[in-house]
Amino acid sequence: MNWPDDAARLIYLVVLAAFIATYFLSDLRNRLNQTLQMVAVWALIFMAAIAAYSFRDLVGGQLFSSSPQVGAGGFSIQRQDDGHFYLILQANGQDVEFVVDTGASDIVLNQGDAAAIGIDVNRLDFAGQANTANGVVRIAEARLATLIAPGMELHDVRVSVNGGELDKSLLGMSYLNRFRGIAIEGDVMTLTP
């Protein structure tokens, strides 16, 4: 055994091992950086998808508003994600969002909308009854000074105020029958005054 030759060989192997280890560690570091970048990108995509889903109603409400689109000979409204048609009308000068409901006989206001447009709900006599999908509810008769849609302005309009729980006010057949034509094509309802 020759000590200087063995020491030289050992130094050579240590330097070679250090070079190879450095190469693999730097390659691993580059791959680690790329992997971390990809994880960060996917995490941002995932968070954006969650945010978009969380605000879908707000964004959908802005993109597919229940404000009517006025055209020649009438106006149209877009079906919403829940399958219903909504229409914003001016009742006593205030915007009220209604569900267009061909199954309802009357224009029916929930108590919140009634109060917002100036009807004193506490002074109403809920002596009437209405049969609904959820059973019998108490109703009170009230009147609107005005109810305005594009191309149609009504005065002294009879409405019912629901005495129970009602999420949205309803536009029933007593209102819809005032139109010359009602057509539904796909997801668009067109009302012709």
Side-chain angles (χ1 to χ4, degrees):
M1 179 183 246
N2 189 352
W3 176 250
D5 288 338
D6 289 338
R9 211 176 283 150
L10 181 62
I11 292 173
Y12 171 75
L13 290 175
V14 168
V15 169
L16 182 62
F19 177 74
I20 292 171
T22 303
Y23 171 77
F24 281 115
L25 287 176
S26 72
D27 188 50
L28 178 64
R29 190 181 81 206
N30 287 339
R31 276 194 253 152
L32 184 61
N33 284 341
Q34 288 175 344
T35 301
L36 290 175
Q37 287 174 355
M38 291 305 290
V39 166
V41 167
W42 280 107
L44 287 173
I45 290 170
F46 184 69
M47 287 188 297
I50 289 173
Y53 183 77
S54 298
F55 293 106
R56 71 188 179 284
D57 292 332
L58 177 64
V59 172
Q62 296 299 319
L63 294 176
F64 305 108
S65 152
S66 49
S67 297
Q69 303 300 311
V70 180
F75 61 92
S76 59
I77 52 178
Q78 182 78 33
R79 185 189 314 264
Q80 300 299 304
D81 288 340
D82 63 2
H84 295 290
F85 292 98
Y86 295 89
L87 184 58
I88 295 176
L89 300 179
Q90 276 203 342
N92 290 352
Q94 301 293 318
D95 286 346
V96 176
E97 185 176 50
F98 291 90
V99 176
V100 178
D101 187 352
T102 58
S105 301
D106 295 325
I107 301 169
V108 182
L109 295 172
N110 64 30
Q111 292 182 42
D113 287 342
I117 62 173
I119 296 172
D120 187 353
V121 177
N122 295 322
R123 298 185 75 140
L124 292 177
D125 180 17
F126 289 93
Q129 291 185 355
N131 293 318
T132 71
N134 295 326
V136 176
V137 296
R138 307 299 286 170
I139 58 169
E141 188 174 307
R143 297 200 90 66
L144 300 179
T146 58
L147 186 61
I148 301 172
M152 181 184 287
E153 183 170 335
L154 304 175
H155 297 276
D156 193 31
V157 180
R158 188 182 79 65
V159 298
S160 297
V161 178
N162 188 308
E165 300 270 333
L166 181 64
D167 291 334
K168 292 278 185 191
S169 294
L170 308 175
L171 272 183
M173 293 308 295
S174 67
Y175 180 78
L176 297 174
N177 283 335
R178 298 171 190 253
F179 287 91
R180 187 167 35 98
I182 300 172
I184 299 175
E185 292 182 31
D187 287 335
V188 177
M189 175 184 283
T190 303
L191 301 168
T192 307

